[in-house]
Amino acid sequence: MEKIVISYANKIEKAYIEHIKNNVKNKNFELIYEENSGSVEEYLELVKKIQNKEIGRVISIEEFGTLPFMVMAKNKGIVVAQISDHHSSRMTIQHNNSNVLSLGYKIMAKENMVDIIETYLGAHFEAGRHMVRINMLENILEGE
Amino acid sequence: MKIAIGCDHIVTDIKDKVIEMLKRDGIEVLDCGTYDFERTHYPIYGHKVAVNVVEKNVDFGIVICGTGVGISNGAQKTKGARVLLAKDVLTVEDARKNYDANIIGFGGRIVGLGLMYEMIETFINTKYEGKNDQLINQIDSLIKNKNYSDSIFDEENKKWDSGFYDE
């Protein structure tokens, strides 16, 4: 079963993260909840775990979702979706095969957060013509 | 003020409208394409905008595709680019104040033009607060090579043209 780390900021209110834990119901993945302090090193550790195939994807929840995007997308094999709406959460799997979802708890109600995570987990990559774009993203980091 | 802007074929009309609005406000625009609705690939335009930003040909960059995810990743993977993908003004303020973000991404199918332009105004008018220089250096050093050549897409473009990828 594909492992997904849900990495959440230690500053988040307890009731908010408890709501996520209690309401994300998808059974097709092993969901591993981890608290983080938001350092670059912690995000790079998660990148390594994806690259080494120890985990399949990461769902990061911090203030606005910007820092995880700036750090994690700089690495090979990583596509980050910094999003906050239902349509993007589905499309970013269908077209971009994003393996990091970067969410901001300061801009999203907890109910919306649950919907976006569930939608993301329920979507499937379409491949086909979209593969050329994924390969081009890798081209940019060739030589790294 | 000079801004580079790029998009994929899904949202060319939206990019053109943003350019009109920027010019109306006296901002010089470098249009990095795409210029029509013929199918193309977002990494080309995200990268092109980012190269112009990090090489200081412009002050800031704007990238737009359907959800914004693809093209903002194309920009983010360029050394020196600090990109956010935004749907609200608060996130934009935070990214400028704390990370000195130099490129903003939008989903043309997610955000309307009114909100998009509010976010652009916030982006260019909000100053970096100068508190995170070390963090910003750390982000900029994650990519070692100056990956600024547009020939990096040549091989994939050839494969696309030869019909290697399924429609």
Side-chain angles (χ1 to χ4, degrees), chain B residues 21-40:
Chain B
M21 295 163 92
L22 290 166
K23 286 183 174 172
R24 179 200 64 197
D25 285 347
I27 294 167
E28 201 179 338
V29 178
L30 175 63
D31 185 352
C32 296
T34 189
Y35 304 106
D36 54 32
F37 298 98
E38 187 178 336
R39 183 175 281 165
T40 182

Side-chain angles (χ1 to χ4, degrees), chain B residues 55-101:
Chain B
E55 294 204 306
K56 311 274 184 212
N57 299 327
V58 295
D59 300 290
F60 293 115
I62 300 170
V63 292
I64 315 169
C65 68
T67 61
V69 172
I71 199 163
S72 63
N73 274 265
Q76 195 76 283
K77 290 181 183 296
T78 309
K79 184 176 179 61
R82 291 183 305 280
V83 188
L84 78 152
L85 174 56
K87 203 185 80 184
D88 67 279
V89 167
L90 278 183
T91 300
V92 179
E93 272 181 3
D94 170 75
R96 284 290 305 130
K97 283 181 181 172
N98 292 311
Y99 309 121
D100 199 13

Side-chain angles (χ1 to χ4, degrees), chain B residues 85-93 104-106 111-126:
Chain B
L85 174 56
K87 203 185 80 184
D88 67 279
V89 167
L90 278 183
T91 300
V92 179
E93 272 181 3
I104 186 163
F106 300 119
V111 180
L113 267 174
L115 177 56
M116 196 180 288
Y117 208 73
E118 294 266 6
M119 289 191 280
I120 291 169
E121 287 179 321
T122 302
F123 188 70
I124 62 183
N125 292 323
T126 305

Side-chain angles (χ1 to χ4, degrees), chain A residues 40-41 44 62-64 66-67 69-71 73-75 78-85 87-88 91-92 95-96 98 106-107 128-129 131-144, chain B residues 9 39-44 47 67 69-70 72-74 76-78 81-85 87-88 90-91 94-95 99 101 110 135 138-139 142-145 147 152-153 156-157 160 165-167:
Chain A
V40 169
E41 289 75 16
L44 292 176
E62 59 100 71
E63 289 180 328
F64 295 97
T66 302
L67 185 62
F69 179 29
M70 285 189 178
V71 172
K74 299 282 188 191
N75 295 274
I78 306 293
V79 179
V80 182
Q82 181 186 8
I83 55 128
S84 56
D85 68 279
H87 180 67
S88 296
M91 294 303 292
T92 197
H95 286 187
N96 312 116
S98 304
K106 286 198 172 176
I107 54 164
R129 69 179 184 277
M131 274 313 300
V132 68
R133 291 128 194 187
I134 309 293
N135 291 340
M136 281 179 159
L137 292 178
E138 286 299 278
N139 288 162
I140 303 173
L141 294 179
E142 232 164 54
E144 288 298 311
Chain B
H9 58 284
R39 183 175 281 165
T40 182
H41 315 301
Y42 52 71
I44 299 168
H47 180 253
T67 61
V69 172
S72 63
N73 274 265
Q76 195 76 283
K77 290 181 183 296
T78 309
R82 291 183 305 280
V83 188
L84 78 152
L85 174 56
K87 203 185 80 184
D88 67 279
L90 278 183
T91 300
D94 170 75
Y99 309 121
I110 308 301
L135 173 62
Q138 206 177 357
I139 294 167
L142 291 170
I143 295 173
K144 294 178 186 65
N145 301 303
N147 52 358
I152 57 178
F153 300 118
E156 289 303 325
N157 273 324
W160 174 266
Y165 291 98
D166 294 335
E167 289 295 299

